[in-house]
């Protein structure tokens, strides 16, 4: 089920003030050409990671793909459930209520003989337990299938198919140390990868394996009291061939955050919209509200009663697959797009002719910002998870 828009969500205002820049304090890389060469400086790093590598349980690498639901266009009419039609006579969705679950088959707005998504919801708590999204990109058909924990709503497994063939598959576990593990298998190159991270994201480790499950590399990041350490070890045929150790001291600073006051990349505010409006109404075939029009303001609803689309003059709000997209056509060559994701991540893209600006934020804290002129990037900022500037690059920096 698509959630209602969080109209109360505010945009964090952060004022900039003079401060210190982050600095990189150490960077050492040592390469061993073959397994017979002494590692010297690399040896300590290799030995540091060796216990973690040797203790790694490769049995978790096996990722079983989720079988997609494939319904041919001419067979959509045979899907069991309540068929709900829009006021235009086109099929909107098919709702199948069986046992403790409800499955919603959402028809494509462009062609109601095809399905955009299939969502299964636990009746007891309303949580999504499975969702399949069908899309077409660059002439290729994709089916993105995910399964979720019915109690927590967290993703357990995910498989993406390209033109009917598995493209990549993932699963998520929590090990006995409390680390969240995301395991991914890439069907294109046959590689496995495992990402481990702590709940507070102060610790992150990534393993890469080839198709024979032989270790290729280990990367580790630790963030402790403003100091970030990045360790990397690369392997070939079981031997360490290179390693690096980089430590960055992030000095407390608030530099670069003036971009949050730039109206061009300030996320669009949803709080100006109420939950409903009064006006001319249309209804679905099951009697639920489909749309309300009041002058230049249009609200569209799903048969389940959730807002799916708002049009307000030159601004549109679309809620699809738990992503809320606000598009503002500011003038004939200026467009601003804000995307809110359900995990607190926000992206703003501003385009004015050949000039582009981009910002990404996590719960209102900046992560990354850049400006482009044509094909050239003229400014780039990177921030850590506390919103402190850790690197800056550009023409006027």
């Amino acid at each position: 089920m698509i959630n209602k828009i969080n109209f109360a969500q505010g945009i964090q205002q952060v004022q900039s003030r003079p401060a210190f820049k982050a600095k990189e304090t150490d960077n050492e890389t040592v390469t061993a050409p073959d397994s017979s060469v002494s590692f010297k400086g690399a040896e300590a790093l290799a030995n540091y990671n060796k216990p973690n590598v040797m203790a790694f349980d490769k049995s978790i690498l096996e990722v079983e793909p989720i079988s997609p639901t494939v319904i041919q266009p001419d067979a959509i009419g045979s899907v069991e459930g309540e068929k709900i039609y829009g006021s235009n006579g086109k099929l909107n969705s098919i709702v199948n209520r069986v046992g403790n679950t409800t499955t919603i088959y959402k028809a494509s707005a462009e062609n109601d003989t095809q399905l955009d998504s299939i969502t299964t919801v636990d009746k007891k708590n309303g949580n999504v337990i499975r969702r399949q999204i069908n899309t077409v990109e660059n002439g290729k058909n994709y089916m993105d299938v995910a399964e979720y924990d019915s109690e927590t709503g967290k993703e357990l497994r995910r498989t993406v198919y390209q033109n009917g063939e598995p493209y990549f598959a993932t699963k998520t576990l929590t090990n006995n140390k409390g680390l969240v593990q995301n395991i991914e298998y890439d069907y294109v190159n046959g590689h496995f990868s495992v990402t481990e991270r702590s709940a507070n994201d102060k610790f992150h480790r990534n393993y890469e394996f080839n198709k024979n499950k032989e270790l290729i590399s280990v990367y580790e990041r630790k963030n402790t009291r403003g100091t970030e350490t990045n360790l990397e070890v690369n392997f070939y045929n079981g031997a360490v061939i290179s390693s690096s150790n980089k430590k960055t001291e992030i000095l407390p600073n608030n530099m670069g955050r003036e971009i949050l006051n730039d109206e061009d990349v300030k996320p669009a505010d949803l709080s100006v919209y109420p939950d409903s409006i009064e006006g001319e109404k249309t209804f679905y075939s099951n009697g639920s509200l489909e749309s309300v029009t009041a002058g230049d303001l249009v609200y569209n609803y799903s048969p389940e009663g959730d807002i799916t689309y708002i049009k307000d003059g030159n601004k549109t709000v679309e809620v699809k697959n738990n992503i809320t997209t606000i598009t503002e056509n500011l003038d004939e060559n200026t467009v601003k797009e804000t995307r809110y994701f359900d995990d607190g991540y926000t992206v703003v893209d501003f385009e004015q002719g050949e000039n582009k600006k981009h910002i990404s934020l996590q719960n209102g804290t900046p992560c990354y910002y850049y400006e482009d002129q044509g094909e050239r990037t003229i400014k780039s900022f990177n921030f850590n998870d506390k919103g402190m500037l850790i690197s800056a690059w550009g023409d006027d920096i």
Side-chain angles (χ1 to χ4, degrees):
M1 179 180 294
I2 297 175
N3 295 328
K4 292 185 184 293
I5 299 175
N6 183 2
F7 293 101
Q9 183 173 6
I11 305 304
Q12 197 173 24
Q13 299 294 319
V14 182
Q15 300 297 322
S16 62
R17 58 181 181 271
F20 298 99
K21 288 186 177 179
K23 68 175 182 178
E24 191 173 282
T25 59
D26 185 34
N27 187 352
E28 178 185 0
T29 302
V30 180
T31 301
D34 57 59
S35 59
S36 66
V37 177
S38 173
F39 298 145
K40 297 183 180 178
E43 186 175 15
L45 183 58
N47 289 335
Y48 172 83
N49 281 284
K50 189 174 181 180
N52 298 319
V53 174
M54 300 304 293
F56 186 83
D57 181 9
K58 290 186 180 180
S59 67
I60 70 171
L61 294 179
E62 298 300 332
V63 182
E64 186 71 22
I66 309 171
S67 297
T69 300
V70 180
I71 300 174
Q72 301 299 329
D74 56 355
I76 192 171
S78 64
V79 176
E80 295 184 358
E82 179 188 8
K83 293 181 174 57
I84 300 174
Y85 296 87
S87 58
N88 58 4
K90 289 186 176 182
L91 179 67
N92 174 273
S93 56
I94 302 173
V95 181
N96 189 352
R97 301 176 178 87
V98 178
N100 294 323
T101 64
T102 298
T103 300
I104 303 170
Y105 301 82
K106 184 71 171 64
S108 168
E110 290 75 26
N111 184 348
D112 64 357
T113 66
Q114 298 178 354
L115 293 176
D116 270 354
S117 64
I118 305 171
T119 304
T120 301
V121 179
D122 188 326
K123 287 182 180 178
K124 293 180 295 182
N125 53 26
N127 286 340
V128 173
I129 57 178
R130 177 182 164 115
R131 176 181 284 122
Q132 176 174 323
I133 300 170
N134 303 328
T135 57
V136 178
E137 296 179 16
N138 299 321
K140 296 179 180 178
N141 295 302
Y142 292 91
M143 293 181 291
D144 186 337
V145 193
E147 293 177 346
Y148 303 87
D149 186 298
S150 61
E151 297 300 325
T152 65
K154 294 182 178 180
E155 183 178 298
L156 299 176
R157 293 198 299 160
R158 182 183 176 200
T159 306
V160 174
Y161 292 81
Q162 184 186 81
N163 292 335
E165 298 295 329
Y167 191 56
F168 70 84
T170 69
K171 67 179 179 182
T172 302
L173 307 171
T174 301
N175 68 10
N176 55 12
K177 295 181 179 180
L179 296 177
V180 176
Q181 296 178 306
N182 183 262
I183 301 96
E184 178 175 321
Y185 178 66
D186 186 334
Y187 286 85
V188 177
N189 58 31
H191 282 195
F192 298 86
S193 66
V194 179
T195 300
E196 297 178 336
R197 65 177 69 246
S198 59
N200 58 12
D201 204 32
K202 291 184 179 295
F203 174 82
H204 170 104
R205 184 186 293 132
N206 178 261
Y207 301 88
E208 295 289 337
F209 299 85
N210 64 17
K211 62 182 179 181
N212 298 318
K213 299 181 182 178
E214 297 170 336
L215 189 64
I216 300 172
S217 67
V218 177
Y219 168 81
E220 184 176 289
R221 176 181 62 81
K222 289 182 178 179
N223 194 324
T224 307
R225 296 180 181 178
T227 299
E228 183 173 291
T229 304
N230 294 275
L231 309 174
E232 184 174 357
V233 183
N234 295 303
F235 300 82
Y236 182 74
N237 285 343
V240 176
I241 57 174
S242 69
S243 64
S244 66
N245 183 357
K246 182 168 67 175
K247 183 181 291 185
T248 303
E249 182 184 3
I250 303 170
L251 303 178
N253 72 85
N254 207 28
M255 300 185 71
R257 298 188 111 195
E258 66 273 5
I259 59 175
L260 294 178
N261 300 319
D262 183 350
E263 291 292 335
D264 291 346
V265 292
K266 187 174 292 185
D269 188 1
L270 282 171
S271 63
V272 297
Y273 293 103
D275 290 333
S276 62
I277 59 171
E278 290 299 322
E280 183 181 351
K281 297 180 174 66
T282 64
F283 297 88
Y284 290 105
S285 58
N286 66 347
S288 62
L289 183 63
E290 177 188 45
S291 70
V292 181
T293 303
D296 292 333
L297 190 60
V298 179
Y299 275 43
N300 288 349
Y301 298 85
S302 71
E304 295 74 46
D306 298 322
I307 296 173
T308 60
Y309 179 83
I310 298 173
K311 181 173 176 55
D312 182 9
N314 60 2
K315 179 189 290 188
T316 61
V317 181
E318 183 177 19
V319 184
K320 189 174 183 180
N321 301 327
N322 282 356
I323 302 173
T324 301
T325 303
I326 305 99
T327 303
E328 300 171 88
N329 294 289
L330 302 177
D331 59 44
E332 61 181 11
N333 71 335
T334 305
V335 178
K336 177 179 174 181
E337 182 179 270
T338 304
R339 283 174 288 160
Y340 289 103
F341 296 79
D342 59 359
D343 61 356
Y345 190 65
T346 304
V347 174
V348 182
D349 286 292
F350 176 87
E351 184 171 344
Q352 189 173 49
E354 291 190 348
N355 299 319
K356 300 176 183 178
K357 296 180 182 180
H358 167 96
I359 191 171
S360 58
L361 309 101
Q362 183 69 44
N363 296 322
T365 300
C367 306
Y368 179 58
Y369 172 83
Y370 70 79
E371 293 180 23
D372 285 351
Q373 282 187 355
E375 299 298 320
R376 191 171 70 92
T377 298
I378 61 171
K379 183 182 291 186
S380 176
F381 290 161
N382 281 285
F383 302 84
N384 72 351
D385 58 354
K386 302 298 183 183
M388 292 188 290
L389 185 68
I390 56 176
S391 69
W393 176 92
D395 291 352
D396 57 352
I397 294 174

